[in-house]
Amino acid sequence: MDKKVPVTQADKIKEKFKNQKDYQYLKKEQLIEAMSPEDILQELKNKGLPTYGTNRERIDRLKKANGLNPSDSNPAKKGSVVNSIEEISKKREERRKKMEEDKLYKEERKAENVAMGKGGDVVFEAMINQFRSQVPLQDQHIPSSSLKICVCVRKRPIFAKEEAQGEIDSISCSNPRVLVHETKVKVDGITKYLENHTFVFDNTFSEKEDNATVYEYSLKPLCPFILGGGTVTCFAYGQTGSGKTYTMKGLQSMVVNDLFAASRATFFVSFFEIYGGKCFDLLNDRSKLLILEDGNGNIQIQGLVEHTAANQVELIQMIEYGNSVRTTHSTTSNEDSSRSHAVCQITLKQKNIIVGKLRLVDLAGSERAQDCISNNRQRRIEGAEINKSLLALKECIRALRKGPDAHVPYRGSKMTLVLRDSFEGGSDDKKVIMITCISPGHSSSDHSLNSLRYADRLKEQSSGGNQVNQFIPKPDVAPVKKVVQQPLPSAKKIPPAKKEVKRDLERQEKQEKQDRQDRQERQEKLGKSFKDMEYIHDKNSEEEDKFGRDILDFHEKVETILAEEEELLENHVNAIKDDAQILTKEGELIALAQGDGDYDVDSYVQQMEILIKQKLQVYQGLYEKLLVFKAHLNEEEEFSNHLTQNLQNFKK
């Protein structure tokens, strides 16, 4: 048993003083706590203490000045602050740990990519893969036989060369959807994110599906339709280097084999290309062809040779030869890019009666209108012609869907002019397939989006409007705008001004009048072609063209240059022929003058004067046409620079 320590008198006195002191501290604390904010503020001023902070902080400061411990007065607050600090530290550690894990993952992925020869951004790659895991599963493809206009999309594989250059596969295909994962960086220059675009088409084919699969659901279901007297036109469209020619070559061989196996008709084939507004026969030494319209409104290709094919091997060989002599140029996207529209026409005849027709059209690499105005003149005119024909093609295909009474602007380009009977009539014996090819690289996302938007506009329709025999109300066709020359303001209306200002106004009016006259002359020269061009641009100006009127003027100038170039070459050839005849007469005249016999010098001078005047007349006319052509070339150059400057300002 522990012995109890007795309490001494000194301990009692010490305990008494401690209790009195605690009581005094408690009274002081209660007194301070009971003070109003104004009294606390005044007390702090009296003691020369700071007065900033909240009322709680002022109370604690006053307690501390009176020997009290402010922390003892609010222990709960102390615990709350400590807990908050600990929570912040914990989250900071978690973030650091996650950053280290992400950094390690990026380094591992980067090392794997380097080992596989890839150089793409691993952050974007991971984001795209994460998004792909949420894409719905692929649906079954539908055959094209149930559609009047079938719009398909095909994605080509990404090449090892592209991956080595840092390209990332930014396209996902899951029939009937196509997703474009556009890589973006926020304005801070650090944060990366994706902008995902989704499109839905009749059929979409991923990089894992070969030409046989594409053929199975595009051209193969239409073979009975062709053999039954129908006309099928199949287009391959897309950016340069997206696989159009590869796809078209595969479809050509397969459809030829199936048609030969199922028909006893005689097969005729013609193959021509349209390049820079000119037409060339690919199966006849690239001879130049003329596209003419007869009195009945039928389009005739003068000089085009149709070849008979005894069997499918011979027909495929002719098609392969035609593909080998197409016009190609090296571009930034493709070392051997097709820069012309190639039209392969296979006609089935029995006793000289057409019993079926198939057109396979490999379109030139599509470029945006803004991209074709900053190159050299040859590439610029080439790009403008390609884009003009693609705009015209879109409106012609739309007209096929709208019905037999819709306006078909087939004169908008040479390509749609020669394919006129593929669009007109709106009857059930015509079908169109558009296969849009896209490149998977993220640097091509802009071009891929343009191609997909183009294809998407082809299939715009009301519910079920794309089905065969579906009734579609007749659209209101906007009337073609006529150019009306405004009368020049009278000189009397010009307010009094200095002579220099008046001369400037007169000079400006004269220039404007001349510009209107030149424009009117060009429109008269282009005729119906210009009206269709204006119709096409009116239809597209609200959708895709931020420089609608300028682009129309640019296309008009290009069309004028091409027409004048043909005319100038023809006049030059005629001038050489006329000059040769004059030269023959000059030789005869000189031989007569240098002969042994006498000759009449007056007659010699008179005949020589006549010949010289004829020669001057021939070359004077040629020279005048040359000056006009040169002036239009300068106009095109200046206008192209103007468009380039506008585009740069727009991007800023």
Side-chain angles (χ1 to χ4, degrees):
M1 186 175 179
D2 295 335
K3 187 176 180 181
K4 188 175 181 180
V5 179
V7 179
T8 62
Q9 187 65 26
D11 291 334
K12 292 180 180 180
I13 295 172
K14 189 184 293 185
E15 182 69 21
K16 181 179 178 181
F17 278 117
K18 182 178 180 300
N19 291 336
Q20 289 177 351
K21 187 177 181 180
D22 290 342
Y23 179 75
Q24 290 175 357
Y25 281 165
L26 181 61
K27 291 292 288 182
K28 283 184 180 181
E29 185 176 355
Q30 290 176 348
L31 182 63
I32 292 173
E33 290 285 350
M35 293 173 66
S36 65
E38 292 79 8
D39 293 339
I40 293 173
L41 192 62
Q42 186 61 42
E43 188 67 22
L44 289 173
K45 289 180 180 179
N46 294 338
K47 291 181 176 291
L49 297 174
T51 59
Y52 61 84
T54 62
N55 191 56
R56 182 75 259 169
E57 291 173 343
R58 291 170 183 167
I59 291 174
D60 290 344
R61 195 177 300 123
L62 190 58
K63 285 182 180 180
K64 189 175 181 181
N66 285 278
L68 301 175
N69 191 351
S71 60
D72 291 342
S73 63
N74 195 5
K77 181 178 179 181
K78 176 182 177 181
S80 175
V81 172
V82 171
N83 291 338
S84 298
I85 294 173
E86 291 176 351
E87 186 68 23
I88 292 172
S89 300
K90 183 180 178 181
K91 290 181 179 179
R92 183 168 59 246
E93 290 300 322
E94 289 176 354
R95 285 198 304 270
R96 287 176 178 173
K97 184 178 179 181
K98 188 176 184 306
M99 289 173 63
E100 289 295 329
E101 291 175 353
D102 291 343
K103 184 178 180 181
L104 182 61
Y105 172 78
K106 292 175 187 176
E107 290 176 353
E108 291 176 353
R109 289 293 303 165
K110 192 172 182 179
E112 290 178 8
N113 287 348
V114 171
M116 292 187 293
K118 299 180 180 180
D121 190 303
V122 294
V123 177
F124 280 132
E125 188 178 15
M127 294 168 69
I128 292 173
N129 290 335
Q130 182 181 4
F131 191 89
R132 278 195 181 126
S133 63
Q134 306 169 9
V135 176
L137 296 177
Q138 178 165 304
D139 297 340
Q140 180 65 32
H141 293 295
I142 60 173
S144 58
S145 55
S146 60
L147 304 170
K148 188 170 187 176
I149 300 174
C150 180
V151 182
C152 306
V153 173
R154 188 184 192 189
K155 170 195 171 186
R156 71 160 172 82
I158 190 167
F159 301 140
K161 176 183 176 182
E162 294 173 321
E163 290 182 324
Q165 294 172 348
E167 288 287 348
I168 304 171
D169 186 353
S170 63
I171 305 288
S172 298
C173 285
S174 179
N175 186 61
R177 290 165 292 275
V178 179
L179 295 94
V180 180
H181 313 290
E182 197 174 5
T183 56
K184 298 272 190 176
V185 179
K186 290 187 177 180
V187 291
D188 59 9
I190 300 174
T191 308
K192 300 177 181 179
Y193 69 100
L194 294 179
E195 192 169 294
N196 299 290
H197 307 264
T198 304
F199 298 86
V200 178
F201 296 97
D202 298 320
N203 282 314
T204 61
F205 303 96
S206 69
E207 69 276 17
K208 298 178 182 178
E209 296 171 289
D210 57 9
N211 279 339
T213 305
V214 178
Y215 174 70
E216 183 73 23
Y217 296 98
S218 58
L219 276 178
K220 186 175 182 178
L222 294 179
C223 286
F225 179 80
I226 297 171
L227 297 173
T231 298
V232 172
T233 307
C234 179
F235 296 94
Y237 167 79
Q239 174 198 354
T240 297
S242 59
K244 302 182 301 299
T245 303
Y246 173 82
T247 299
M248 190 57 73
K249 286 181 179 179
L251 298 182
Q252 286 168 349
S253 59
M254 285 183 277
V255 72
V256 165
N257 288 328
D258 284 354
L259 289 176
F260 260 99
S263 175
R264 296 184 178 274
T266 305
F267 283 71
F268 293 85
V269 61
S270 59
F271 204 168
F272 59 93
E273 74 169 358
I274 300 172
Y275 172 70
K278 302 179 182 67
C279 194
F280 303 94
D281 191 340
L282 297 178
L283 300 180
N284 189 25
D285 296 328
R286 292 184 55 83
S287 61
K288 193 172 181 180
L289 306 174
L290 293 178
I291 303 172
L292 305 174
E293 186 173 358
D294 60 23
N296 297 324
N298 298 318
I299 304 302
Q300 306 291 340
I301 305 178
Q302 189 176 24
L304 181 64
V305 179
E306 274 193 332
H307 301 266
T308 306
N311 51 57
Q312 59 263 46
V313 176
E314 186 177 343
L315 181 53
I316 291 173
Q317 287 176 348
M318 285 190 282
I319 294 175
E320 289 177 349
Y321 173 77
N323 284 321
S324 67
V325 296
R326 284 185 64 184
T327 300
T328 60
H329 290 298
S330 177
T331 67
T332 56
S333 303
N334 193 349
E335 294 179 357
D336 193 26
S337 173
S338 301
R339 304 306 296 152
S340 66
H341 303 305
V343 182
C344 177
Q345 182 170 283
I346 301 172
T347 306
L348 284 66
K349 295 182 181 180
Q350 287 181 343
K351 298 179 180 180
N352 292 326
I353 298 175
I354 297 176
V355 295
K357 186 180 291 185
L358 171 64
R359 289 192 177 107
L360 301 169
V361 185
D362 183 9
L363 298 171
S366 62
E367 309 287 347
R368 294 177 302 175
Q370 295 93 332
D371 292 339
C372 67
I373 59 177
S374 58
N375 305 312
N376 62 68
R377 176 176 282 115
Q378 183 63 25
R379 298 286 85 79
R380 195 164 59 234
I381 292 177
E382 173 189 288
E385 276 294 300
I386 291 172
N387 280 285
K388 185 184 69 172
S389 60
L390 293 176
L391 287 176
L393 175 63
K394 178 175 68 174
E395 293 306 320
C396 289
I397 293 177
R398 278 176 161 181
L400 176 65
R401 175 175 53 80
K402 291 176 181 177
D405 297 328
H407 173 64
V408 182
Y410 59 87
R411 292 188 182 90
S413 73
K414 292 289 179 63
M415 181 185 66
T416 50
L417 187 64
V418 298
L419 299 177
R420 174 181 176 178
D421 64 335
S422 293
F423 312 116
E424 277 198 327
S427 59
D428 296 335
D429 63 344
K430 296 180 177 65
K431 291 194 176 186
V432 170
I433 300 176
M434 174 65 76
I435 302 176
T436 302
C437 299
I438 53 177
S439 300
H442 73 282
S443 64
S444 300
S445 295
D446 192 19
H447 290 285
S448 297
L449 284 171
N450 285 331
S451 298
L452 292 171
R453 286 168 183 149
Y454 179 92
D456 191 54
R457 292 187 185 106
L458 292 179
K459 60 181 283 294
E460 285 178 356
Q461 54 191 300
S462 57
S463 178
N466 207 20
Q467 299 294 327
V468 178
N469 297 325
Q470 178 69 30
F471 171 76
I472 303 175
K474 179 181 176 182
D476 294 329
V477 179
V480 178
K481 297 180 180 178
K482 295 183 178 179
V483 178
V484 180
Q485 288 191 352
Q486 299 294 334
L488 293 175
S490 173
K492 296 179 181 179
K493 296 182 180 180
I494 300 177
K498 294 182 180 180
K499 292 183 179 180
E500 293 80 1
V501 176
K502 189 173 182 179
R503 279 199 298 268
D504 290 341
L505 289 173
E506 291 175 351
R507 193 181 303 112
Q508 183 179 355
E509 290 174 359
K510 185 177 180 180
Q511 183 62 42
E512 290 176 354
K513 181 179 180 180
Q514 184 63 41
D515 291 343
R516 285 195 295 268
Q517 289 177 350
D518 291 343
R519 179 175 174 80
Q520 188 71 23
E521 289 176 2
R522 287 198 296 268
Q523 291 177 11
E524 291 174 357
K525 182 177 292 187
L526 297 177
K528 295 179 180 179
S529 172
F530 176 80
K531 293 181 180 180
D532 276 351
M533 286 169 56
E534 194 165 51
Y535 172 86
I536 291 165
H537 279 272
D538 286 344
K539 288 291 185 181
N540 287 274
S541 59
E542 295 181 359
E543 297 175 354
E544 58 193 28
D545 212 340
K546 296 180 177 62
F547 311 101
R549 188 71 229 181
D550 286 346
I551 295 296
L552 174 60
D553 290 341
F554 181 67
H555 284 168
E556 176 194 335
K557 292 180 186 299
V558 169
E559 188 74 12
T560 302
I561 287 174
L562 293 174
E564 288 181 345
E565 181 185 7
E566 290 285 331
E567 185 180 353
L568 183 63
L569 289 173
E570 184 179 355
N571 288 334
H572 192 185
V573 172
N574 292 334
I576 293 174
K577 292 179 180 179
D578 293 340
D579 190 35
Q581 293 177 358
I582 296 172
L583 187 62
T584 302
K585 294 179 181 179
E586 285 180 319
E588 294 173 354
L589 184 61
I590 291 175
L592 180 63
Q594 293 178 345
D596 296 335
D598 295 334
Y599 74 98
D600 187 353
V601 66
D602 292 329
S603 176
Y604 167 77
V605 171
Q606 185 179 5
Q607 292 183 43
M608 183 177 178
E609 182 181 8
I610 293 173
L611 293 176
I612 291 175
K613 285 183 178 180
Q614 289 177 351
K615 185 176 288 190
L616 288 174
Q617 185 178 3
V618 168
Y619 282 100
Q620 181 63 31
L622 182 63
Y623 182 65
E624 290 175 357
K625 291 184 180 296
L626 180 64
L627 291 179
V628 172
F629 184 65
K630 185 178 178 181
H632 288 162
L633 287 178
N634 292 334
E635 285 181 14
E636 186 274 336
E637 183 76 29
E638 293 175 1
F639 201 81
S640 175
N641 294 334
H642 165 72
L643 281 178
T644 303
Q645 187 63 42
N646 285 351
L647 177 61
Q648 291 174 351
N649 294 336
F650 175 76
K651 288 181 177 179
K652 291 178 182 178

